[in-house]
Amino acid sequence: MKKWFSYRWQSNYFRKSFLLILFITSIPGIISGIAIYTFGLSSTEKELRKVHVEEIDDRAQNIDTQFSYLEESLTYWAFDPSFNYQLITTDFVYEFQKTREIMQKLMILEGSQPLIGEVELFVETKEGPVLFTPYIEYIKDEKEQEGYHSLLKTSKNITWDHTEDFFQHTGYRNNLILTHQIPGVINNPFGAIVVTIDDKSLVRTLETLTPYSNGVTMLINEENELLLSTEGSSDKEFTKELINVFTNNNKMDRSFQMDWKDKTYSVSYGTFDRIGSKWTYISAAPISAITTPIITISKVILVASLIVLGLAFFLTWFASNRLYQPVKNLASSFTATSNLTSNGRKDEFKQIRDRLDSLTFESEQLEKRINHQIPQLRQNFLIQLTKGYLYDFDEDALRRRMENYRWKVHHHSFVLLDIQLTRGNEHLQRTYEDDSLIAFAMANIADDMTAKYLDQYTVLNQYDLTASLFLIIPDDMSNWSDQLNQLAEDIMTAINRILSSYVTITISSETTRIKDIPFLFEEIGRARRFRDFNNQNQILMLNEVEKEVKGQKLFYPFETEKEIIQSIRRGKINESEELIRQFFDELLHNSTKEVSVHAGIMQLYSTIQHEILLSGVDPVVLYKGRNMYEELSQLREMEWVVKWLIVQVIEPYITFLENNMNMEMKVIVEKVVSYLEEHYMEDISLESCAEYVDITPYALSKAFKKIHGVNFIDYLTTIRMDKAKELLLYTNMKINEISESVGYRHSYFNRIFKKHVGLPPSQYRKTRASSS
């Protein structure tokens, strides 16, 4: 006892407390005990229930957000182009690449959310029902097919609510299953994505709704049927009793108390509005562990005060020890044990202060790390804002969110500055790696230049030779429009010097509302389409460029377009390239604005694609499913467009025609040759023969030349001349009769015969007759 007392006496705090309490009688203790017992207990229980409700509201909001994100993610995946009607006719064994792509997407979706347990894809194909788990298997059992077909019969595209047939025949044991019909919002779905919630992960998440240990949280549906519970026991007696009490509760208040096995629980509940169903979460937290010490302490103080009325010294010694214990525990949690057990006088508060200094230093280090991540968080916020993911947030919520990212938005306005590289011809041999490096350098240049003018800005690198500067301008900044123009000039000069590229900079209008920021991005996209198509530096303002093009008539060189199509039909690639350049010259001569030139480019590509379709070639197969319109829209310079049209569009088409024409055209040409040999004496033309075999005259002429090495008319003339020679030598027919029998008029026959043989018909007959 002496050693124990000596140890405490070394504490400055214990000594002061002991001497002070020594002079206090037990009367205040009695009053305190009664007050704590009568008023403190009920007040504490009420406050605990209030805290319970407030804490689970915040945590329930987080869980609700996770479910909403899961539903939005599943909807996004259901609209994925991979899940289209082509799956119905796909042979998943033969087209293994397609199968592998679907399996990879399912695995990505499965790993995108911690709440997701398994993701499966059900598809009704022509070969029969198919199930990706993510590995492919064909469903043979009719009952199991019925279960999965029930997913396609429901009127809701996405739902948590499913029929008994589904659970009974498909073997799912988990009640929490989210399904989405594919593809997207279609009246006749052919499949569904099935997402099973991981019970263990959801249990861990629900456990956060219980602020104290040994509590229970559960989910029930609208029929008060249990969906999930965090109670560990298999029979879940407490859960059943809790559901019964909740069902009988009048539900006028969101919190009530419940007694169970000598324990008092604070019960709070709320709802999750999910697609197709409504869930109720119930959280029961034990508060006996907190209220029991209050009752015990109050009784101890009351009894001790009555008994030791004359023993103030011992009461003081006891009270001082009780007061010192929390300080000791606090000091123990902040300082090392070796410091507490050292000999000599000790000051616990100094030790705590030293430890707090250490924690402050660690907090500063953590703050630095957070500051390092702030730019990326800001970029992600702007991307989410422009993509519409934050559409449901009101202005105040968005403002608070921006302030969380260390932005100062009060008394500030927002402006966008768009930077677009338009490189010269020396950069034609570019690669996507080059574009990424140049885009990175451009973003760094913009960052360095902007830092000289503004404190708050964010650079969004689009990695397609464009970048956007999100600028936050204070209201007290004078002549901000002039300063932005000067900033644009500085960025333009730096890019010209460092990257040797032209640049178009577009400045948006100003807004003070955060919800209008997406419209600034739309405005930027609209304004930069009015840039001059020629390679030169430009600074664009939306109002100014719209005035420039207002009332301007669209010009389109239709005649040159016809010549381009004719050259493509003849397979003349070099001629096509020259005509396309002429096409662009005529477009640019009328208007150099990108919006006008781009319209002409798209129209020309559409005409070429129309010609490809007329020839019986499928552009989707020819270009291997590439989005050619999107590729064309990314090209900003005339030379890039010309090369792209020749190399990516025209050359593959002509090569395809040449590779697939040989055998078919040989049969057609031989059919025409047989026709010529039988009808050479008639009035025959290239057009009539082309009509006879049902192809174009140009295609027949080209094929004839390629297969026989001579033109159509030369081949026909050779047949007629050979027959005329035979008649001249072996018959006594007159020359005019011979000419008619081989399909010529007499006067023309003499000329054509002499041209091909070298002698007139009469002289040819005499010469050959005399020689024989």
Side-chain angles (χ1 to χ4, degrees), residues 293-324:
I294 297 175
I295 298 173
T296 303
I297 292 174
S298 62
K299 291 180 178 179
V300 168
I301 294 175
L302 183 60
V303 173
S305 298
L306 294 173
I307 294 175
V308 295
L309 183 59
L311 303 176
F313 179 85
F314 296 101
L315 180 60
T316 303
W317 170 62
F318 173 80
S320 299
N321 182 63
R322 297 285 292 181
L323 289 173
Y324 175 71

Side-chain angles (χ1 to χ4, degrees), residues 43 125 138 155 252 307 311 314 320 636 652 654 672 736 754:
S43 177
T125 69
Y138 287 87
S155 60
M252 294 296 293
I307 294 175
L311 303 176
F314 296 101
S320 299
R636 301 175 190 145
I654 293 176
V672 171
N736 60 340
K754 183 176 180 181

Side-chain angles (χ1 to χ4, degrees), residues 398-672:
L398 292 174
R399 190 174 299 275
R400 288 193 299 270
R401 194 161 182 175
M402 291 188 70
E403 289 172 348
N404 289 338
Y405 295 144
R406 313 288 176 83
W407 268 321
K408 297 178 181 178
V409 293
H410 286 287
H411 304 295
H412 286 72
S413 57
F414 312 107
V415 176
L416 280 179
L417 191 148
D418 181 79
I419 307 170
Q420 181 183 58
L421 289 186
T422 54
R423 301 155 67 183
N425 295 341
E426 66 274 9
H427 297 292
L428 286 176
Q429 301 299 325
R430 66 189 184 112
T431 64
Y432 289 106
E433 292 78 6
D434 294 338
D435 285 354
S436 298
L437 292 174
I438 292 174
F440 180 75
M442 176 184 65
N444 286 340
I445 293 172
D447 196 330
D448 294 340
M449 294 293 105
T450 310
K452 301 176 182 178
Y453 289 85
L454 293 169
D455 296 328
Q456 295 191 91
Y457 63 92
T458 298
V459 180
L460 295 176
N461 189 351
Q462 310 297 341
Y463 294 100
D464 60 350
L465 300 183
T466 63
S468 299
L469 277 174
F470 176 69
L471 309 176
I472 302 180
I473 301 175
D475 293 345
D476 57 0
M477 182 177 179
S478 59
N479 300 325
W480 64 267
S481 179
D482 295 337
Q483 294 194 43
L484 287 188
N485 276 282
Q486 185 59 47
L487 170 61
E489 292 284 353
D490 292 348
I491 294 174
M492 183 181 299
T493 302
I495 292 177
N496 293 160
R497 176 173 53 84
I498 298 174
L499 301 181
S500 301
S501 297
Y502 295 119
V503 62
T504 298
I505 297 180
T506 310
I507 302 175
S508 75
S509 59
E510 175 195 17
T511 183
T512 57
R513 297 184 71 250
I514 301 174
K515 292 186 73 69
D516 289 342
I517 293 175
F519 300 113
L520 296 184
F521 282 90
E522 295 177 5
E523 178 183 293
I524 283 290
R526 185 170 67 253
R528 69 185 180 189
R529 295 179 65 239
F530 295 114
R531 75 175 183 91
D532 196 311
F533 203 75
N534 293 324
N535 286 325
Q536 58 184 357
N537 294 321
Q538 301 168 70
I539 297 179
L540 304 178
M541 299 289 289
L542 180 63
N543 296 334
E544 296 177 1
V545 296
E546 285 183 339
K547 290 179 181 178
E548 292 180 13
V549 299
K550 187 175 182 180
Q552 186 176 12
K553 294 182 179 180
L554 181 64
F555 171 78
Y556 187 78
F558 289 97
E559 294 300 324
T560 307
E561 178 197 82
K562 294 178 182 178
E563 294 181 15
I564 293 172
I565 298 302
Q566 290 298 327
S567 68
I568 293 175
R569 289 174 180 172
R570 294 193 299 271
K572 305 295 185 181
I573 296 177
N574 293 334
E575 180 182 341
S576 299
E577 183 175 351
E578 293 177 1
L579 289 170
I580 290 174
R581 294 184 184 280
Q582 179 182 337
F583 179 90
F584 273 103
D585 291 340
E586 295 176 11
L587 277 181
L588 293 172
H589 180 72
N590 181 263
S591 174
T592 60
K593 296 299 180 183
E594 182 177 290
V595 63
S596 302
V597 177
H598 192 265
I601 294 171
M602 287 298 180
Q603 178 59 38
L604 176 59
Y605 173 73
S606 298
T607 304
I608 296 174
Q609 188 180 55
H610 180 72
E611 175 64 22
I612 294 173
L613 289 170
L614 288 178
S615 67
V617 179
D618 187 355
V620 176
V621 177
L622 179 63
Y623 301 122
K624 300 178 181 179
R626 292 160 54 195
N627 190 339
M628 305 298 282
Y629 282 101
E630 182 178 353
E631 291 185 20
L632 182 57
S633 65
Q634 298 297 323
L635 304 177
R636 301 175 190 145
E637 306 304 331
M638 185 189 74
E639 195 64 29
W640 295 355
V641 175
V642 172
K643 293 299 182 183
W644 185 85
L645 288 173
I646 294 299
V647 177
Q648 303 295 334
V649 179
I650 297 176
E651 285 186 358
Y653 169 61
I654 293 176
T655 303
F656 180 86
L657 288 181
E658 292 177 349
N659 293 338
N660 292 274
M661 184 183 68
N662 294 340
M663 294 303 298
E664 180 181 357
M665 293 306 296
K666 186 174 183 181
V667 174
I668 292 175
V669 169
E670 293 304 323
K671 184 177 180 181
V672 171

Side-chain angles (χ1 to χ4, degrees), residues 44-152:
T44 301
E45 291 176 344
K46 183 178 179 180
E47 190 64 24
L48 287 175
R49 291 199 305 271
K50 180 181 177 182
V51 171
H52 188 194
V53 172
E54 293 175 351
E55 287 191 3
I56 69 170
D57 280 347
D58 293 337
R59 299 173 185 179
Q61 179 64 35
N62 180 46
I63 296 175
D64 187 59
T65 301
Q66 294 186 50
F67 279 119
S68 298
Y69 179 72
L70 173 59
E71 293 165 352
E72 293 173 0
S73 298
L74 184 57
T75 301
Y76 170 80
W77 281 96
F79 280 90
D80 192 282
S82 299
F83 304 134
N84 55 29
Y85 279 104
Q86 292 182 355
L87 295 179
I88 299 177
T89 58
T90 299
D91 185 344
F92 293 105
V93 176
Y94 178 75
E95 300 184 33
F96 63 91
Q97 190 65 32
K98 181 68 174 180
T99 303
R100 180 186 177 195
E101 179 184 353
I102 294 175
M103 292 167 62
Q104 288 178 341
K105 288 183 179 292
L106 293 180
M107 294 178 71
I108 291 172
L109 177 56
E110 183 173 322
S112 64
Q113 260 277 9
L115 292 180
I116 297 178
E118 295 179 350
V119 179
E120 298 180 351
L121 174 66
F122 167 72
V123 181
E124 184 64 49
T125 69
K126 290 187 176 181
E127 301 295 330
V130 175
L131 185 66
F132 288 84
T133 65
Y135 302 101
I136 183 173
E137 62 181 62
Y138 287 87
I139 304 174
K140 303 299 183 182
D141 184 72
E142 294 183 357
K143 292 292 185 181
E144 188 176 359
Q145 291 180 9
E146 277 182 33
Y148 282 104
H149 282 156
S150 66
L151 300 177
L152 309 183

